[in-house]
Amino acid sequence: GLDGVDLLILVDAGAPGRRLAGTLRPWLEAGGALLVLAGDPTQAGDLEAGVLPLLDLPAPVRWVSRAADQAERARVVDAGHPMLADLGEASLEALSAARWWRYFAVPEGTGRVVLAADGGAPLILEGRQGRGRWMLWPFHLRRDATDAMLNPVFLPLVQRAAARLVASGRGARLATVGDEPV
């Protein structure tokens, strides 16, 4: 089971099998925290059949693939979102400089878009499932998909995402250099 798991991160994991799906939904509804990074173009069917229903998101998804000179930039949708709040103007500008060439365009359904591509597709989508929280990042971190991981704001963004999920949406204290992990 998932007892004692604070945050489950699925990276291009395909569709959860029947047994895992049967465990994931109750765990998430009971207060679990799930971060899904899904950007493998061969897993579109798995995303539609397994992950989106788990998060109560509609299908279909569309694979977006652009030439290097046609990259989309990230657009901060909600600068006041707890994950982005107090990052500062310079950090938000740096985040907006990240480029995407390949990602899944996922319908937002009842999710909240935090970051979107120029074309409007969510790049960071979050939502609730019962008492639990989830985030979907419909891209992978390969250099041929995005340069987001090279952005100076990327690691703080990942840390803030994890803290938000684990704290079930409450403001979470972020770790700083020298802090003892708990």
Side-chain angles (χ1 to χ4, degrees):
L2 293 171
D3 296 338
V5 174
D6 293 326
L7 174 62
L8 179 63
I9 301 173
L10 299 177
V11 180
D12 288 334
R18 187 172 293 154
R19 184 171 176 211
L20 179 58
T23 302
L24 270 177
R25 183 175 277 281
W27 171 78
L28 188 56
E29 289 175 348
L34 178 64
L35 175 59
V36 179
L37 284 88
D40 182 342
T42 65
Q43 294 182 357
D46 293 337
L47 185 59
E48 287 181 346
V51 175
L52 296 184
L54 173 68
L55 306 178
D56 289 334
L57 292 174
V61 299
R62 179 176 50 88
W63 179 245
V64 176
S65 181
R66 302 195 178 286
D69 62 342
Q70 296 177 339
E72 291 188 72
R73 300 285 180 178
R75 181 173 46 87
V76 174
V77 175
D78 182 3
H81 185 279
M83 198 168 74
L84 303 176
D86 76 9
L87 274 178
E89 188 84 20
S91 293
L92 293 178
E93 284 179 27
L95 182 58
S96 294
R99 298 173 299 172
W100 271 264
W101 296 273
R102 292 172 180 74
Y103 61 87
F104 282 111
V106 177
E108 64 188 76
T110 59
R112 179 180 180 184
V113 179
V114 179
L115 193 69
D118 286 333
L123 294 172
I124 297 180
L125 187 62
E126 78 165 352
R128 296 189 65 82
Q129 187 75 6
R131 292 191 342 246
R133 294 186 92 60
W134 55 263
M135 279 190 193
L136 173 62
W137 297 21
F139 57 90
H140 60 83
L141 298 176
R142 289 180 35 164
R143 187 65 177 95
D144 66 346
T146 182
D147 63 4
M149 67 293 215
L150 304 175
N151 191 290
V153 182
F154 182 73
L155 287 177
L157 189 67
V158 171
Q159 181 189 32
R160 286 165 174 256
R164 176 160 172 80
L165 289 169
V166 170
S168 298
R170 298 181 306 275
R173 188 179 77 75
L174 297 174
T176 57
V177 174
D179 281 355
E180 184 91 14
V182 178

